[in-house]
Amino acid sequence: MIRPRRRVVPLVLLALAVAGAVPGAASARMSIFYDEQDAVRVLTDPSGLGAPIDASRGAVRQDPGAGGIFDPAGNDAAHRIAKLAAGEIEGLSPEAMADRIQEEIADPEIPNTSRLVAIDEIGNRWNDGKVRITYSFVRVRGKRIRVASGNKIVVTKRGWKLVKGAAALPRIDPASPGAKLSAAMDLLAARPYPGGGTYAERVHLYIAPAFSTSIAAGRGPHRHLGNDGKPHRATWRGVMPAVAQAGGVWIEMYHHDGTLTSMTAKEWRTVPQGFASYAARFGGQAARMHLLIGGTPAPAGSSGCGEAMACQWALAGSTPTGQAMLANGPGAYRLGSQAAAWRAEYNRALPGR
C-alpha cells in the first residue's frame, strides 16, 4: 500500500542536512550493509580484528535496520539510507514514481539525513518480455522446411539456403514498469538536489540475479539471443536508461530462491563484465557499480579459492571489471556467521582508510 504523501521537507532544511559528511557522492567509495544488527556490529566494531569498516570508508546501513550502524541507539542518521520496495512504485505513472522517490529522499519514512534511497529490487517484472518465435513451413524441391520468423529460404541453382534475418526485439511498452522507471529517472535527473547534483543521483538500485545473469548469458547486441541465434530471452532496454541514471547500482551476487546461495564461479567471472558493458550502451558508468556479497556456501564450480567467503572475494577480483567494482565499495547482505570473514576480506582487498 502506498502511504499518503506527506509534506516534503523545505529545501533550506535539506541544505543544512547535507552540510555534514554524507556518503552519497556517485564516485565515492561506498558500502551498503543490508544486514541484521549482529553482523553490522562485527563489521563496524573498532575492537574487532582488522580495521573497522566505518564512515570514513563509506559505510552505510540499509533501513529498516534496528540498532543503526555505528551507534546501537540509532543516533547515526547520516549513515543510514531509505528503501522503497519495487512493488510499491511499479504501478505508478512516471510522474508519480518520480514524486514518490523524491519524497522518500527528502522525507524518509524511517528518518535519516543521508538523503539516499535504494529501490529493492529490479528483477524480471521490469524487463521488456520476450519475442514470440513463430514458424512457417516452406516446400522447396520436394522438401518441407520449417522456417523461424525473421528468416527466409532462398532457392539456389543446386538447392536452397537459409538466410537469417536480424533477430526481432520485443516492443518496449511505455506503460511497463521498466520504461516508466526510466522516464521517472529522467524527471529526477532534471531536478537539482539542494546539496548538489540531481535527485536521480540520490537513487540506488538493487539488481536482482535474474536481471544480471540474463544479460551475462545472452548473446547479441541486446543480450536476448541464445546460442542458436534466436531470441529466447527477454530484453531490458526499457529499464536500462534508469540504471544508467542511478547514483549507485548494486549487483546481487547470489541467488535467493528460499535459500541464499552464491552465484556460480562462472557467473562471478561473467556477470560483472557482461552487465557493465551492456549498461555502458545506455550511458551507465562503471564507477557507480558495486557487488553485493552475501553470506552463502562456496560458489558452485569453484575450487582452490579457500573458504566460502574468501572464495567469493577471490572470484570477485578475478576479472578487471570485478576488481574495479570492488574498488567502488562492496555491499554486504545477510552475512550471518560469515561477517568476520567478510570484514577480513574487505581489509585484504581494500587496505587502509
Side-chain angles (χ1 to χ4, degrees), residues 24-103:
S27 59
R29 180 174 292 171
M30 178 179 178
S31 287
I32 295 179
F33 298 157
Y34 194 154
D35 215 326
E36 302 296 334
Q37 184 175 7
D38 289 347
V40 171
R41 289 288 165 265
V42 171
L43 297 174
T44 61
D45 187 352
S47 66
L49 293 177
I53 307 168
D54 57 19
S56 70
R57 303 172 96 175
V60 296
R61 176 102 183 262
Q62 178 63 71
D63 274 338
I69 179 169
F70 306 121
D71 179 359
N75 297 319
D76 39 28
H79 306 285
R80 292 183 285 103
I81 71 174
K83 184 175 77 171
L84 278 174
E88 179 181 342
I89 62 171
E90 70 176 52
L92 301 178
S93 68
E95 294 78 9
M97 248 189 213
D99 289 346
R100 180 68 187 89
I101 292 168
Q102 180 174 338
E103 177 195 28

Side-chain angles (χ1 to χ4, degrees), residues 26 200-201 203-206 243 245-250 288-290:
E201 293 171 331
V203 179
H204 291 248
L205 302 177
Y206 289 118
V243 173
Q245 295 267 31
V249 178
W250 299 81
R288 299 186 180 191
M289 295 187 182
H290 307 257

Side-chain angles (χ1 to χ4, degrees), residues 44-287:
T44 61
D45 187 352
S47 66
L49 293 177
I53 307 168
D54 57 19
S56 70
R57 303 172 96 175
V60 296
R61 176 102 183 262
Q62 178 63 71
D63 274 338
I69 179 169
F70 306 121
D71 179 359
N75 297 319
D76 39 28
H79 306 285
R80 292 183 285 103
I81 71 174
K83 184 175 77 171
L84 278 174
E88 179 181 342
I89 62 171
E90 70 176 52
L92 301 178
S93 68
E95 294 78 9
M97 248 189 213
D99 289 346
R100 180 68 187 89
I101 292 168
Q102 180 174 338
E103 177 195 28
E104 195 62 27
I105 293 169
D107 187 17
E109 185 173 9
I110 299 174
N112 69 63
T113 56
S114 73
R115 308 308 175 199
L116 301 174
V117 66
I119 299 176
D120 188 19
E121 62 185 347
I122 307 301
N124 271 331
R125 292 180 61 83
W126 299 74
N127 65 38
D128 311 316
K130 303 177 184 179
V131 171
R132 183 173 178 267
I133 304 174
T134 59
Y135 294 88
S136 60
F137 289 90
V138 178
R139 187 170 291 278
V140 179
R141 301 185 189 278
K143 292 185 177 181
R144 189 168 181 261
I145 304 165
R146 191 175 78 151
V147 184
S149 52
N151 298 338
K152 65 180 180 177
I153 296 294
V154 175
V155 178
T156 66
K157 289 182 178 180
R158 297 185 178 182
W160 58 272
K161 65 179 180 179
L162 176 67
V163 177
K164 294 185 177 181
L169 290 166
R171 170 181 171 271
I172 299 175
D173 182 354
S176 67
K180 290 190 297 180
L181 181 61
S182 289
M185 290 294 280
D186 282 340
L187 293 172
L188 291 170
R191 298 177 184 177
Y193 177 72
T198 69
Y199 274 96
E201 293 171 331
R202 313 302 296 180
V203 179
H204 291 248
L205 302 177
Y206 289 118
I207 304 299
F211 186 173
S212 62
T213 58
S214 176
I215 295 298
R219 295 175 178 267
H222 289 287
R223 309 300 180 99
H224 72 309
L225 306 182
N227 292 337
D228 60 1
K230 295 178 182 177
H232 295 290
R233 298 177 178 275
T235 66
W236 302 83
R237 291 136 56 231
V239 76
M240 285 306 297
V243 173
Q245 295 267 31
V249 178
W250 299 81
I251 303 172
E252 300 172 9
M253 296 304 294
Y254 46 78
H255 299 281
H256 45 80
D257 298 331
T259 301
L260 201 67
T261 58
S262 172
M263 284 199 177
T264 67
K266 179 180 179 180
E267 288 169 337
W268 275 98
R269 296 186 182 103
T270 58
V271 164
Q273 171 60 33
F275 191 89
S277 63
Y278 187 61
R281 292 175 58 97
F282 298 84
Q285 301 176 40

